[in-house]
Amino acid sequence: MKISGRNFIQGKVLDIKKGATTAHVHVEIAGGVVLTASITNEAVEDLKLKKGMSVYALIKASDVMIAVD
Amino acid sequence: MKISGRNFIQGKVLDIKKGATTAHVHVEIAGGVVLTASITNEAVEDLKLKKGMSVYALIKASDVMIAVD
Amino acid sequence: MKISGRNFIQGKVLDIKKGATTAHVHVEIAGGVVLTASITNEAVEDLKLKKGMSVYALIKASDVMIAVD
Amino acid sequence: MKISGRNFIQGKVLDIKKGATTAHVHVEIAGGVVLTASITNEAVEDLKLKKGMSVYALIKASDVMIAVD
Amino acid sequence: MKISGRNFIQGKVLDIKKGATTAHVHVEIAGGVVLTASITNEAVEDLKLKKGMSVYALIKASDVMIAVD
Amino acid sequence: MKISGRNFIQGKVLDIKKGATTAHVHVEIAGGVVLTASITNEAVEDLKLKKGMSVYALIKASDVMIAVD
């Protein structure tokens, strides 16, 4: 499958914190960078996400901002 | 400055393609990962973005999805 | 592949309008509903999108609002 | 009222799951397609959303991705 | 009509810059604050947006970040 | 620091409601307008957000819609 979202980054699940409806997933990508994803609990269950699992982070280009010092 | 957006990733501008109103910026982060940001031309000018410049990519956690094979 | 984004809807490309950097794609889904996606030209080329092609629309649940009359 | 968001789709509330601050609402649209919306509990109360209610799903075009097999 | 998006702010169109597919609209709200909206040209035409027109800016709560100095 | 997100609006925290993983923050900006931000609990703690604190709301232009009566 190919997706129009331009940012598709391989990583590994570090931890998952499920709330009442929304879960936060930390994913370590290359260079030790850690991404945080806020997704539904439903998705965590549907994808059977577990600590250590190999995953991809997917981010639409229009959701990426740039900051400079 | 501190920002609530949980993903704040150091990188370097690889190239900038300006369209009529919207620009696409490629940013190389750690491990050779390249992010694509779709931002306004206004922002490119306001931040004086140039190839090779050190920048940060900023992404809100609620805009990050997870995919599994 | 499975994606955390909860809205993954089968459809067919009706037309594609490419701008300078950003393209608009109309996708007809079940019941004659037509969705509009604003994606990068890069993605249109990478996915080789063409009129009549079978595709999926993918939308994160946190990007869906509800309105009532 | 008219809204710039290009995707405005009639449907019916299937169910609502309220969490501590965030609710998930399933909306059935034409052709039996079910959308998931993640909205605030505040909005659920303000719109008096109930199972079976006629609603619209509203999605900005820049939040729609395309995927191909 | 009522919308789940929690930020619905009255304002006036200051100017509209149409690109090839995407337009940028500046809207002045209370206190002289100016918002920038990036929307489709299609929406500009459909809503017949003109300089000086009274409009609302609509922003989903999950798209608002907080920054501190 | 400068950020590509075109909407950067000074305000004051009115209240914070933390859920299990997601918090809702109300911010009063100029003219008595109140914005709602849905952010992670992590961010509330990291920024040490408190009632009465001076903050900025940050919103990407591509997340702003326009509505007309």
Side-chain angles (χ1 to χ4, degrees):
Chain A
M1 184 180 291
K2 274 196 151 174
I3 303 174
S4 66
R6 293 296 82 194
N7 300 290
F8 194 76
I9 310 162
Q10 196 168 10
K12 202 168 67 172
V13 175
L14 280 189
D15 59 64
I16 300 164
K17 185 179 179 192
K18 286 173 82 170
T21 51
T22 307
H24 293 168
V25 182
H26 289 108
V27 174
E28 185 174 352
I29 61 171
V33 174
V34 177
L35 300 177
T36 304
S38 175
I39 64 175
T40 60
N41 285 351
E42 257 183 59
V44 171
E45 287 150 25
D46 188 25
L47 275 66
K48 299 184 201 322
L49 293 182
K50 299 267 179 270
K51 188 177 164 170
M53 216 168 137
S54 181
V55 298
Y56 298 90
L58 168 62
I59 304 155
K60 200 171 183 304
S62 54
D63 289 325
V64 181
M65 278 157 286
I66 305 284
V68 295
D69 274 326
Chain B
M1 183 180 291
K2 274 194 152 176
I3 303 173
S4 66
R6 294 295 81 194
N7 300 290
F8 193 77
I9 309 163
Q10 197 168 8
K12 205 168 66 173
V13 175
L14 280 188
D15 59 64
I16 300 164
K17 184 178 181 194
K18 286 173 81 170
T21 51
T22 306
H24 293 168
V25 182
H26 290 109
V27 174
E28 185 173 351
I29 61 170
V33 173
V34 177
L35 298 178
T36 305
S38 174
I39 64 176
T40 61
N41 284 352
E42 259 183 56
V44 170
E45 287 149 26
D46 188 24
L47 275 64
K48 299 185 200 323
L49 293 181
K50 300 267 179 270
K51 187 177 164 171
M53 216 169 136
S54 180
V55 297
Y56 298 90
L58 168 62
I59 304 154
K60 200 171 184 305
S62 53
D63 289 325
V64 181
M65 278 157 286
I66 305 284
V68 295
D69 272 327
Chain C
M1 184 180 292
K2 273 196 153 176
I3 303 174
S4 65
R6 293 296 83 194
N7 300 289
F8 194 76
I9 310 162
Q10 196 168 10
K12 203 169 68 173
V13 175
L14 280 189
D15 59 65
I16 300 164
K17 184 178 181 193
K18 286 173 82 170
T21 51
T22 307
H24 293 169
V25 182
H26 290 108
V27 174
E28 185 174 352
I29 60 171
V33 173
V34 177
L35 299 178
T36 304
S38 173
I39 64 175
T40 61
N41 285 351
E42 257 183 58
V44 171
E45 287 149 26
D46 188 24
L47 275 65
K48 300 187 199 322
L49 292 182
K50 300 266 180 272
K51 188 177 164 171
M53 215 169 137
S54 180
V55 297
Y56 298 89
L58 168 62
I59 304 154
K60 200 172 184 304
S62 53
D63 289 326
V64 181
M65 279 157 285
I66 304 285
V68 295
D69 273 327
Chain D
M1 183 180 291
K2 273 195 153 177
I3 303 173
S4 66
R6 292 295 82 195
N7 300 290
F8 194 76
I9 311 162
Q10 197 168 9
K12 204 168 66 172
V13 176
L14 281 187
D15 59 65
I16 300 164
K17 185 181 178 189
K18 287 173 81 170
T21 51
T22 306
H24 293 168
V25 182
H26 290 108
V27 174
E28 185 174 352
I29 61 170
V33 173
V34 177
L35 300 178
T36 305
S38 173
I39 64 175
T40 61
N41 284 351
E42 258 183 57
V44 171
E45 287 148 27
D46 188 25
L47 274 65
K48 299 186 201 322
L49 293 182
K50 299 266 179 271
K51 187 176 164 172
M53 216 168 136
S54 180
V55 297
Y56 298 90
L58 167 62
I59 304 154
K60 200 172 184 303
S62 53
D63 289 325
V64 181
M65 279 158 284
I66 304 285
V68 295
D69 274 326
Chain E
M1 183 180 292
K2 274 196 151 175
I3 303 173
S4 66
R6 293 296 83 194
N7 300 290
F8 194 77
I9 311 163
Q10 195 167 12
K12 203 168 66 173
V13 175
L14 281 188
D15 59 63
I16 300 164
K17 184 179 180 191
K18 287 173 82 169
T21 51
T22 307
H24 293 169
V25 182
H26 290 108
V27 174
E28 185 174 352
I29 61 170
V33 173
V34 177
L35 299 178
T36 305
S38 173
I39 64 175
T40 61
N41 285 352
E42 257 184 58
V44 171
E45 288 148 25
D46 188 24
L47 275 65
K48 300 185 200 323
L49 293 182
K50 299 267 180 273
K51 188 178 163 168
M53 216 170 137
S54 180
V55 297
Y56 298 89
L58 167 63
I59 305 154
K60 201 173 183 303
S62 54
D63 288 326
V64 181
M65 279 157 285
I66 305 284
V68 295
D69 273 326
Chain F
M1 183 181 291
K2 274 196 153 176
I3 303 174
S4 66
R6 293 295 83 195
N7 301 290
F8 193 76
I9 311 162
Q10 196 168 9
K12 204 168 66 173
V13 175
L14 281 188
D15 58 64
I16 300 164
K17 185 179 180 191
K18 286 173 82 171
T21 51
T22 307
H24 294 168
V25 182
H26 289 109
V27 174
E28 185 174 352
I29 61 170
V33 173
V34 177
L35 298 178
T36 304
S38 174
I39 64 176
T40 61
N41 285 351
E42 257 183 59
V44 171
E45 287 148 26
D46 189 24
L47 276 64
K48 300 185 201 320
L49 293 181
K50 299 267 179 270
K51 188 176 163 171
M53 216 169 137
S54 180
V55 297
Y56 298 90
L58 167 63
I59 304 154
K60 200 172 184 304
S62 54
D63 289 325
V64 181
M65 279 157 285
I66 305 285
V68 295
D69 274 326

